[in-house]
Amino acid sequence: MDVPETLLYTSEHEWVRKESPTLVRVGITDFAQESLGDVVYVSLPQVGTEVTATEQIGELESTKAVSDVYAPVSGKVMEVNSELVNNPALINQDPYGEGWICVLEVKDPNSLEGLLDAQAYRSLISV
């Protein structure tokens, strides 16, 4: 199970990569994509949408289940990965790279301190 040290995580299995002091890239973890199985449909948030931490921002449909994607922090959706619309399998193939979901402009950069580091996330998923 891949849990990169450079990322932050949520207990709902989203990852966060700081792109700048106020921008973060968001996706789901390797653990989440493996649990879901083959992702066949992705519902993305709309660019410009204001989101609140822990609020649903999207949905993933797989051969096994439908799963919500939650905002890891409050902010504004600045970019979405439109490649996922035509190729949702990118989430399974490369969850930490080409399978990213959106970029958020963080309302309060200090809110990132409330996320899990790699070690805490490994403990959560017992890896």
Side-chain angles (χ1 to χ4, degrees):
M1 194 70 49
D2 190 17
V3 181
E5 291 290 330
T6 57
L7 303 178
L8 297 171
Y9 301 88
T10 70
S11 56
E12 289 81 25
H13 311 290
E14 286 85 22
W15 57 261
V16 174
R17 176 183 296 123
K18 283 181 76 172
E19 301 278 309
S20 77
T22 58
L23 293 178
V24 296
R25 191 168 304 269
V26 177
I28 68 164
T29 65
D30 190 30
F31 176 85
Q33 70 80 22
E34 192 170 286
S35 298
L36 275 171
D38 294 336
V39 176
V40 295
Y41 174 76
V42 178
S43 171
L44 298 168
Q46 285 201 284
V47 172
T49 303
E50 294 282 341
V51 298
T52 303
T54 72
E55 156 185 298
Q56 180 186 346
I57 59 169
E59 194 174 78
L60 304 175
E61 187 176 320
S62 74
T63 54
K64 291 182 183 179
V66 175
S67 181
D68 294 333
V69 177
Y70 299 98
V73 291
S74 296
K76 183 177 184 178
V77 178
M78 302 303 288
E79 186 180 349
V80 296
N81 187 354
S82 56
E83 291 293 316
L84 296 177
V85 173
N86 295 322
N87 191 3
L90 285 172
I91 288 177
N92 298 112
Q93 295 162 4
D94 191 10
Y96 299 117
E98 296 299 314
W100 62 276
I101 293 171
C102 66
V103 173
L104 299 176
E105 182 178 52
V106 181
K107 191 178 241 176
D108 175 11
N110 292 328
S111 63
L112 295 172
E113 293 172 13
L115 300 175
L116 305 171
D117 63 15
Q119 182 177 351
Y121 183 70
R122 275 191 208 94
S123 295
L124 177 76
I125 61 172
S126 300
V127 171

